[in-house]
Amino acid sequence: MPPLSIREVRTLTEAADLWRMFSPNEYLWDDWTFRSLFHGTYDEPGEPIFIVGSIGGEDVALLALQHTEEDGCIEFFGGDYMEDNLIFFKPGCEAHVETMFRHATSLGVPLRLLAIRGTDPYTKDLPLLDHKYVYRLEGMKTVDDILAKHFSLKTQSTFRRKIKRLEADGLTVRDGTMPELDLLYEFNIQAFGNDSSFTWPRRQRVFRELLASSLETRLMTFMMADKIVAVSLGIKCGKTYVYLNSGTDRAIDNLGTYVVLQHIKEALRSGATLFDTELGGYTWKERWHLDPVPQYQFLHGSPTKPR
């Protein structure tokens, strides 16, 4: 195989052009607008470091990174929230994956490359970080189809009983508004304390920017007795619907279940073929029999852990 020549691109304008040229735009995580919003909301957005591999003057590979100065490490472009990360290759050039990672180790800054999509023997042999969890929606038309595929008849009946009880108690859902995002943050922090990522001002900031962007977001507000009891955000990109986050009143039994089912219903309505609940099991994802998708990691030089 011809050798790979490597250069580095460190300007956002050229980085954006390269991303759009290489990205398959298959998942939300492949979308430039989504990635650049997360990059831009760091307190000190570090410079992009896009490693470009070429053969015979043709660009054939791209490893998109950023220097996250506040954490003193290099990450995938967009930061530690990103998932399904990978090196983009033109067909037939995938064997250069190790060369691209090896060049990243020469940058002189610790590497914290998390949530890598395993697409080849090399990346699938990297240390496992965790799993993300998805439903594949091909052939599914209704929530009942999802329940029938993944649950016993007894459990399906339990789901329907919980939904009917909540709706009998007056639970309704409507489109949310930008100011109601504050309640999503508030409910989430009440539930998870310092473990909630919404204790970080930049995470609150980027969710506001997502909602104001051109991306196909879906903010849902749940009401009971004229009181907001939950706020939840999803986003559709291509054929993927991502359930991003929620904040719910924990005093109301089964409210979280109802919220997730509403997002599944919205994913089906939108024509998505993949329902993505992101990284981490948090117990409920295993109980819902979502399909686990491994996500790998590449660490070098003792990087700090994500905050």
mmCIF file of all heavy atoms in Angstrom, residues 184-220:
data_model
loop_
_atom_site.group_PDB
_atom_site.id
_atom_site.type_symbol
_atom_site.label_atom_id
_atom_site.label_comp_id
_atom_site.label_asym_id
_atom_site.label_seq_id
_atom_site.Cartn_x
_atom_site.Cartn_y
_atom_site.Cartn_z
ATOM 1 N N LEU A 184 -35.534 21.898 32.702
ATOM 2 C CA LEU A 184 -34.833 20.653 32.404
ATOM 3 C C LEU A 184 -33.561 20.579 33.252
ATOM 4 O O LEU A 184 -33.285 19.560 33.903
ATOM 5 C CB LEU A 184 -34.495 20.567 30.915
ATOM 6 C CG LEU A 184 -33.933 19.242 30.368
ATOM 7 C CD1 LEU A 184 -34.150 19.159 28.857
ATOM 8 C CD2 LEU A 184 -32.452 19.057 30.659
ATOM 9 N N TYR A 185 -32.775 21.671 33.244
ATOM 10 C CA TYR A 185 -31.540 21.697 34.033
ATOM 11 C C TYR A 185 -31.853 21.509 35.525
ATOM 12 O O TYR A 185 -31.188 20.743 36.221
ATOM 13 C CB TYR A 185 -30.799 23.026 33.859
ATOM 14 C CG TYR A 185 -30.560 23.468 32.433
ATOM 15 C CD1 TYR A 185 -30.488 24.824 32.118
ATOM 16 C CD2 TYR A 185 -30.387 22.550 31.403
ATOM 17 C CE1 TYR A 185 -30.254 25.248 30.825
ATOM 18 C CE2 TYR A 185 -30.158 22.967 30.108
ATOM 19 C CZ TYR A 185 -30.099 24.323 29.816
ATOM 20 O OH TYR A 185 -29.874 24.753 28.539
ATOM 21 N N GLU A 186 -32.864 22.230 35.999
ATOM 22 C CA GLU A 186 -33.196 22.201 37.424
ATOM 23 C C GLU A 186 -33.613 20.804 37.876
ATOM 24 O O GLU A 186 -33.118 20.287 38.895
ATOM 25 C CB GLU A 186 -34.309 23.209 37.710
ATOM 26 C CG GLU A 186 -34.702 23.324 39.170
ATOM 27 C CD GLU A 186 -35.808 24.348 39.379
ATOM 28 O OE1 GLU A 186 -35.826 25.384 38.666
ATOM 29 O OE2 GLU A 186 -36.663 24.104 40.257
ATOM 30 N N PHE A 187 -34.524 20.189 37.134
ATOM 31 C CA PHE A 187 -34.967 18.837 37.485
ATOM 32 C C PHE A 187 -33.786 17.856 37.448
ATOM 33 O O PHE A 187 -33.662 16.969 38.301
ATOM 34 C CB PHE A 187 -36.045 18.347 36.523
ATOM 35 C CG PHE A 187 -37.422 18.893 36.775
ATOM 36 C CD1 PHE A 187 -38.183 19.408 35.730
ATOM 37 C CD2 PHE A 187 -37.987 18.872 38.038
ATOM 38 C CE1 PHE A 187 -39.466 19.892 35.939
ATOM 39 C CE2 PHE A 187 -39.276 19.347 38.264
ATOM 40 C CZ PHE A 187 -40.013 19.864 37.216
ATOM 41 N N ASN A 188 -32.941 17.980 36.418
ATOM 42 C CA ASN A 188 -31.827 17.057 36.253
ATOM 43 C C ASN A 188 -30.826 17.188 37.403
ATOM 44 O O ASN A 188 -30.332 16.183 37.935
ATOM 45 C CB ASN A 188 -31.146 17.307 34.904
ATOM 46 C CG ASN A 188 -30.242 16.176 34.482
ATOM 47 O OD1 ASN A 188 -29.100 16.118 34.880
ATOM 48 N ND2 ASN A 188 -30.760 15.275 33.654
ATOM 49 N N ILE A 189 -30.521 18.404 37.790
ATOM 50 C CA ILE A 189 -29.589 18.620 38.899
ATOM 51 C C ILE A 189 -30.187 18.124 40.211
ATOM 52 O O ILE A 189 -29.496 17.535 41.048
ATOM 53 C CB ILE A 189 -29.196 20.100 38.980
ATOM 54 C CG1 ILE A 189 -28.341 20.483 37.751
ATOM 55 C CG2 ILE A 189 -28.417 20.396 40.261
ATOM 56 C CD1 ILE A 189 -28.101 21.979 37.604
ATOM 57 N N GLN A 190 -31.494 18.326 40.397
ATOM 58 C CA GLN A 190 -32.145 17.802 41.602
ATOM 59 C C GLN A 190 -32.022 16.279 41.681
ATOM 60 O O GLN A 190 -31.840 15.704 42.753
ATOM 61 C CB GLN A 190 -33.619 18.200 41.616
ATOM 62 C CG GLN A 190 -33.878 19.659 41.941
ATOM 63 C CD GLN A 190 -35.352 20.028 41.800
ATOM 64 O OE1 GLN A 190 -36.187 19.194 41.465
ATOM 65 N NE2 GLN A 190 -35.671 21.298 42.036
ATOM 66 N N ALA A 191 -32.099 15.630 40.536
ATOM 67 C CA ALA A 191 -32.054 14.165 40.506
ATOM 68 C C ALA A 191 -30.640 13.621 40.678
ATOM 69 O O ALA A 191 -30.431 12.615 41.363
ATOM 70 C CB ALA A 191 -32.654 13.652 39.201
ATOM 71 N N PHE A 192 -29.654 14.274 40.052
ATOM 72 C CA PHE A 192 -28.313 13.692 39.993
ATOM 73 C C PHE A 192 -27.251 14.482 40.753
ATOM 74 O O PHE A 192 -26.102 14.037 40.836
ATOM 75 C CB PHE A 192 -27.884 13.530 38.526
ATOM 76 C CG PHE A 192 -28.798 12.639 37.735
ATOM 77 C CD1 PHE A 192 -29.677 13.162 36.803
ATOM 78 C CD2 PHE A 192 -28.798 11.266 37.942
ATOM 79 C CE1 PHE A 192 -30.530 12.339 36.076
ATOM 80 C CE2 PHE A 192 -29.640 10.432 37.224
ATOM 81 C CZ PHE A 192 -30.511 10.971 36.288
ATOM 82 N N GLY A 193 -27.606 15.640 41.292
ATOM 83 C CA GLY A 193 -26.652 16.424 42.063
ATOM 84 C C GLY A 193 -25.432 16.816 41.248
ATOM 85 O O GLY A 193 -25.553 17.196 40.076
ATOM 86 N N ASN A 194 -24.253 16.687 41.836
ATOM 87 C CA ASN A 194 -23.020 17.075 41.157
ATOM 88 C C ASN A 194 -22.676 16.175 39.981
ATOM 89 O O ASN A 194 -21.793 16.514 39.180
ATOM 90 C CB ASN A 194 -21.856 17.101 42.152
ATOM 91 C CG ASN A 194 -21.963 18.235 43.146
ATOM 92 O OD1 ASN A 194 -22.552 19.277 42.851
ATOM 93 N ND2 ASN A 194 -21.401 18.046 44.337
ATOM 94 N N ASP A 195 -23.341 15.018 39.868
ATOM 95 C CA ASP A 195 -23.106 14.139 38.719
ATOM 96 C C ASP A 195 -23.827 14.628 37.465
ATOM 97 O O ASP A 195 -23.561 14.121 36.368
ATOM 98 C CB ASP A 195 -23.570 12.716 39.034
ATOM 99 C CG ASP A 195 -22.671 12.026 40.048
ATOM 100 O OD1 ASP A 195 -21.490 12.398 40.137
ATOM 101 O OD2 ASP A 195 -23.155 11.126 40.749
ATOM 102 N N SER A 196 -24.725 15.575 37.599
ATOM 103 C CA SER A 196 -25.410 16.125 36.433
ATOM 104 C C SER A 196 -24.458 17.015 35.641
ATOM 105 O O SER A 196 -23.812 17.909 36.200
ATOM 106 C CB SER A 196 -26.627 16.948 36.870
ATOM 107 O OG SER A 196 -27.168 17.665 35.764
ATOM 108 N N SER A 197 -24.387 16.785 34.338
ATOM 109 C CA SER A 197 -23.522 17.629 33.504
ATOM 110 C C SER A 197 -24.048 19.055 33.412
ATOM 111 O O SER A 197 -23.327 19.951 32.978
ATOM 112 C CB SER A 197 -23.397 17.028 32.099
ATOM 113 O OG SER A 197 -24.654 16.994 31.449
ATOM 114 N N PHE A 198 -25.293 19.279 33.831
ATOM 115 C CA PHE A 198 -25.845 20.627 33.778
ATOM 116 C C PHE A 198 -25.359 21.505 34.926
ATOM 117 O O PHE A 198 -25.736 22.670 35.014
ATOM 118 C CB PHE A 198 -27.372 20.587 33.730
ATOM 119 C CG PHE A 198 -27.886 19.979 32.450
ATOM 120 C CD1 PHE A 198 -28.595 18.788 32.468
ATOM 121 C CD2 PHE A 198 -27.634 20.576 31.229
ATOM 122 C CE1 PHE A 198 -29.052 18.221 31.287
ATOM 123 C CE2 PHE A 198 -28.084 20.018 30.046
ATOM 124 C CZ PHE A 198 -28.790 18.828 30.076
ATOM 125 N N THR A 199 -24.518 20.967 35.795
ATOM 126 C CA THR A 199 -23.825 21.829 36.748
ATOM 127 C C THR A 199 -22.718 22.611 36.053
ATOM 128 O O THR A 199 -22.180 23.549 36.622
ATOM 129 C CB THR A 199 -23.217 21.007 37.908
ATOM 130 O OG1 THR A 199 -22.302 20.052 37.374
ATOM 131 C CG2 THR A 199 -24.321 20.290 38.695
ATOM 132 N N TRP A 200 -22.378 22.217 34.813
ATOM 133 C CA TRP A 200 -21.379 22.940 34.028
ATOM 134 C C TRP A 200 -22.082 24.029 33.219
ATOM 135 O O TRP A 200 -22.968 23.717 32.398
ATOM 136 C CB TRP A 200 -20.659 22.020 33.038
ATOM 137 C CG TRP A 200 -20.143 20.740 33.594
ATOM 138 C CD1 TRP A 200 -19.910 20.433 34.909
ATOM 139 C CD2 TRP A 200 -19.798 19.581 32.840
ATOM 140 N NE1 TRP A 200 -19.441 19.157 35.019
ATOM 141 C CE2 TRP A 200 -19.363 18.606 33.772
ATOM 142 C CE3 TRP A 200 -19.804 19.282 31.485
ATOM 143 C CZ2 TRP A 200 -18.936 17.340 33.371
ATOM 144 C CZ3 TRP A 200 -19.396 18.028 31.087
ATOM 145 C CH2 TRP A 200 -18.962 17.070 32.019
ATOM 146 N N PRO A 201 -21.733 25.276 33.379
ATOM 147 C CA PRO A 201 -22.373 26.343 32.591
ATOM 148 C C PRO A 201 -22.299 26.107 31.091
ATOM 149 O O PRO A 201 -23.258 26.406 30.367
ATOM 150 C CB PRO A 201 -21.601 27.597 33.002
ATOM 151 C CG PRO A 201 -21.125 27.295 34.385
ATOM 152 C CD PRO A 201 -20.796 25.827 34.383
ATOM 153 N N ARG A 202 -21.203 25.523 30.610
ATOM 154 C CA ARG A 202 -21.088 25.344 29.160
ATOM 155 C C ARG A 202 -22.072 24.308 28.627
ATOM 156 O O ARG A 202 -22.501 24.388 27.481
ATOM 157 C CB ARG A 202 -19.659 25.005 28.745
ATOM 158 C CG ARG A 202 -19.132 23.661 29.180
ATOM 159 C CD ARG A 202 -17.718 23.482 28.621
ATOM 160 N NE ARG A 202 -17.004 22.358 29.187
ATOM 161 C CZ ARG A 202 -17.052 21.136 28.715
ATOM 162 N NH1 ARG A 202 -17.805 20.853 27.669
ATOM 163 N NH2 ARG A 202 -16.353 20.171 29.276
ATOM 164 N N ARG A 203 -22.459 23.310 29.457
ATOM 165 C CA ARG A 203 -23.427 22.336 28.984
ATOM 166 C C ARG A 203 -24.800 22.984 28.870
ATOM 167 O O ARG A 203 -25.542 22.728 27.928
ATOM 168 C CB ARG A 203 -23.461 21.130 29.921
ATOM 169 C CG ARG A 203 -24.364 19.987 29.460
ATOM 170 C CD ARG A 203 -24.011 19.455 28.066
ATOM 171 N NE ARG A 203 -22.649 19.074 27.906
ATOM 172 C CZ ARG A 203 -22.098 17.931 28.311
ATOM 173 N NH1 ARG A 203 -22.824 17.052 28.947
ATOM 174 N NH2 ARG A 203 -20.830 17.669 28.070
ATOM 175 N N GLN A 204 -25.151 23.835 29.810
ATOM 176 C CA GLN A 204 -26.406 24.575 29.695
ATOM 177 C C GLN A 204 -26.372 25.484 28.469
ATOM 178 O O GLN A 204 -27.350 25.579 27.724
ATOM 179 C CB GLN A 204 -26.649 25.410 30.954
ATOM 180 C CG GLN A 204 -26.876 24.600 32.210
ATOM 181 C CD GLN A 204 -27.376 25.452 33.372
ATOM 182 O OE1 GLN A 204 -27.902 26.546 33.165
ATOM 183 N NE2 GLN A 204 -27.234 24.947 34.593
ATOM 184 N N ARG A 205 -25.230 26.106 28.258
ATOM 185 C CA ARG A 205 -25.085 27.040 27.136
ATOM 186 C C ARG A 205 -25.263 26.329 25.794
ATOM 187 O O ARG A 205 -25.958 26.824 24.898
ATOM 188 C CB ARG A 205 -23.710 27.689 27.239
ATOM 189 C CG ARG A 205 -23.505 28.924 26.389
ATOM 190 C CD ARG A 205 -22.331 29.740 26.903
ATOM 191 N NE ARG A 205 -21.073 29.015 26.945
ATOM 192 C CZ ARG A 205 -20.358 28.813 28.047
ATOM 193 N NH1 ARG A 205 -20.786 29.236 29.215
ATOM 194 N NH2 ARG A 205 -19.198 28.167 27.994
ATOM 195 N N VAL A 206 -24.665 25.150 25.650
ATOM 196 C CA VAL A 206 -24.721 24.481 24.354
ATOM 197 C C VAL A 206 -26.119 23.941 24.071
ATOM 198 O O VAL A 206 -26.565 23.926 22.915
ATOM 199 C CB VAL A 206 -23.654 23.371 24.251
ATOM 200 C CG1 VAL A 206 -24.039 22.130 25.027
ATOM 201 C CG2 VAL A 206 -23.397 23.010 22.788
ATOM 202 N N PHE A 207 -26.868 23.536 25.101
ATOM 203 C CA PHE A 207 -28.236 23.083 24.855
ATOM 204 C C PHE A 207 -29.105 24.242 24.377
ATOM 205 O O PHE A 207 -29.978 24.055 23.514
ATOM 206 C CB PHE A 207 -28.812 22.437 26.114
ATOM 207 C CG PHE A 207 -28.624 20.946 26.158
ATOM 208 C CD1 PHE A 207 -27.361 20.377 26.004
ATOM 209 C CD2 PHE A 207 -29.701 20.098 26.332
ATOM 210 C CE1 PHE A 207 -27.180 19.006 26.029
ATOM 211 C CE2 PHE A 207 -29.538 18.712 26.360
ATOM 212 C CZ PHE A 207 -28.262 18.159 26.209
ATOM 213 N N ARG A 208 -28.867 25.446 24.898
ATOM 214 C CA ARG A 208 -29.613 26.606 24.390
ATOM 215 C C ARG A 208 -29.249 26.866 22.927
ATOM 216 O O ARG A 208 -30.125 27.174 22.107
ATOM 217 C CB ARG A 208 -29.305 27.841 25.234
ATOM 218 C CG ARG A 208 -29.881 27.791 26.638
ATOM 219 C CD ARG A 208 -29.771 29.138 27.341
ATOM 220 N NE ARG A 208 -30.197 29.029 28.726
ATOM 221 C CZ ARG A 208 -29.396 28.836 29.761
ATOM 222 N NH1 ARG A 208 -28.087 28.742 29.555
ATOM 223 N NH2 ARG A 208 -29.871 28.749 30.986
ATOM 224 N N GLU A 209 -27.977 26.741 22.611
ATOM 225 C CA GLU A 209 -27.549 26.991 21.236
ATOM 226 C C GLU A 209 -28.073 25.912 20.293
ATOM 227 O O GLU A 209 -28.414 26.206 19.139
ATOM 228 C CB GLU A 209 -26.027 27.101 21.172
ATOM 229 C CG GLU A 209 -25.500 28.320 21.916
ATOM 230 C CD GLU A 209 -24.097 28.701 21.519
ATOM 231 O OE1 GLU A 209 -23.599 28.187 20.486
ATOM 232 O OE2 GLU A 209 -23.490 29.521 22.227
ATOM 233 N N LEU A 210 -28.140 24.679 20.764
ATOM 234 C CA LEU A 210 -28.732 23.615 19.943
ATOM 235 C C LEU A 210 -30.187 23.936 19.606
ATOM 236 O O LEU A 210 -30.622 23.794 18.461
ATOM 237 C CB LEU A 210 -28.670 22.277 20.676
ATOM 238 C CG LEU A 210 -27.351 21.534 20.706
ATOM 239 C CD1 LEU A 210 -27.455 20.316 21.625
ATOM 240 C CD2 LEU A 210 -26.939 21.096 19.302
ATOM 241 N N LEU A 211 -30.930 24.379 20.619
ATOM 242 C CA LEU A 211 -32.350 24.663 20.416
ATOM 243 C C LEU A 211 -32.550 25.836 19.470
ATOM 244 O O LEU A 211 -33.532 25.880 18.723
ATOM 245 C CB LEU A 211 -33.023 24.943 21.762
ATOM 246 C CG LEU A 211 -34.557 24.920 21.782
ATOM 247 C CD1 LEU A 211 -35.099 23.577 21.310
ATOM 248 C CD2 LEU A 211 -35.069 25.220 23.187
ATOM 249 N N ALA A 212 -31.616 26.788 19.480
ATOM 250 C CA ALA A 212 -31.723 27.965 18.616
ATOM 251 C C ALA A 212 -31.132 27.733 17.227
ATOM 252 O O ALA A 212 -31.278 28.583 16.341
ATOM 253 C CB ALA A 212 -31.020 29.154 19.278
ATOM 254 N N SER A 213 -30.487 26.582 17.013
ATOM 255 C CA SER A 213 -29.793 26.325 15.750
ATOM 256 C C SER A 213 -30.749 25.836 14.671
ATOM 257 O O SER A 213 -31.949 25.668 14.901
ATOM 258 C CB SER A 213 -28.692 25.273 15.973
ATOM 259 O OG SER A 213 -29.267 23.981 16.120
ATOM 260 N N SER A 214 -30.187 25.559 13.512
ATOM 261 C CA SER A 214 -30.969 25.025 12.388
ATOM 262 C C SER A 214 -31.193 23.529 12.505
ATOM 263 O O SER A 214 -31.903 22.942 11.670
ATOM 264 C CB SER A 214 -30.243 25.323 11.076
ATOM 265 O OG SER A 214 -28.945 24.722 11.066
ATOM 266 N N LEU A 215 -30.625 22.890 13.521
ATOM 267 C CA LEU A 215 -30.795 21.452 13.691
ATOM 268 C C LEU A 215 -32.237 21.112 14.057
ATOM 269 O O LEU A 215 -32.954 21.930 14.631
ATOM 270 C CB LEU A 215 -29.834 20.941 14.765
ATOM 271 C CG LEU A 215 -28.350 21.042 14.403
ATOM 272 C CD1 LEU A 215 -27.486 20.800 15.626
ATOM 273 C CD2 LEU A 215 -28.005 20.051 13.297
ATOM 274 N N GLU A 216 -32.650 19.897 13.756
ATOM 275 C CA GLU A 216 -34.043 19.471 13.933
ATOM 276 C C GLU A 216 -34.261 18.971 15.365
ATOM 277 O O GLU A 216 -34.347 17.766 15.625
ATOM 278 C CB GLU A 216 -34.380 18.381 12.914
ATOM 279 C CG GLU A 216 -35.857 18.100 12.755
ATOM 280 C CD GLU A 216 -36.151 17.081 11.669
ATOM 281 O OE1 GLU A 216 -35.281 16.872 10.789
ATOM 282 O OE2 GLU A 216 -37.242 16.490 11.704
ATOM 283 N N THR A 217 -34.330 19.918 16.307
ATOM 284 C CA THR A 217 -34.521 19.570 17.713
ATOM 285 C C THR A 217 -36.001 19.377 18.024
ATOM 286 O O THR A 217 -36.871 19.878 17.327
ATOM 287 C CB THR A 217 -33.956 20.659 18.626
ATOM 288 O OG1 THR A 217 -34.519 21.926 18.270
ATOM 289 C CG2 THR A 217 -32.444 20.738 18.515
ATOM 290 N N ARG A 218 -36.254 18.631 19.110
ATOM 291 C CA ARG A 218 -37.624 18.405 19.574
ATOM 292 C C ARG A 218 -37.631 18.565 21.092
ATOM 293 O O ARG A 218 -37.202 17.663 21.826
ATOM 294 C CB ARG A 218 -38.086 17.007 19.170
ATOM 295 C CG ARG A 218 -39.509 16.663 19.624
ATOM 296 C CD ARG A 218 -40.558 17.429 18.818
ATOM 297 N NE ARG A 218 -41.892 16.877 19.020
ATOM 298 C CZ ARG A 218 -42.778 17.325 19.912
ATOM 299 N NH1 ARG A 218 -42.465 18.362 20.687
ATOM 300 N NH2 ARG A 218 -43.961 16.768 20.027
ATOM 301 N N LEU A 219 -38.083 19.731 21.561
ATOM 302 C CA LEU A 219 -38.201 19.986 22.989
ATOM 303 C C LEU A 219 -39.630 19.686 23.415
ATOM 304 O O LEU A 219 -40.578 20.244 22.859
ATOM 305 C CB LEU A 219 -37.836 21.433 23.314
ATOM 306 C CG LEU A 219 -37.779 21.773 24.807
ATOM 307 C CD1 LEU A 219 -36.590 21.084 25.471
ATOM 308 C CD2 LEU A 219 -37.691 23.289 25.024
ATOM 309 N N MET A 220 -39.781 18.815 24.405
ATOM 310 C CA MET A 220 -41.100 18.421 24.905
ATOM 311 C C MET A 220 -41.260 18.898 26.341
ATOM 312 O O MET A 220 -40.350 18.723 27.164
ATOM 313 C CB MET A 220 -41.269 16.901 24.869
ATOM 314 C CG MET A 220 -41.137 16.271 23.502
ATOM 315 S SD MET A 220 -41.439 14.477 23.614
ATOM 316 C CE MET A 220 -40.919 13.949 21.969
#
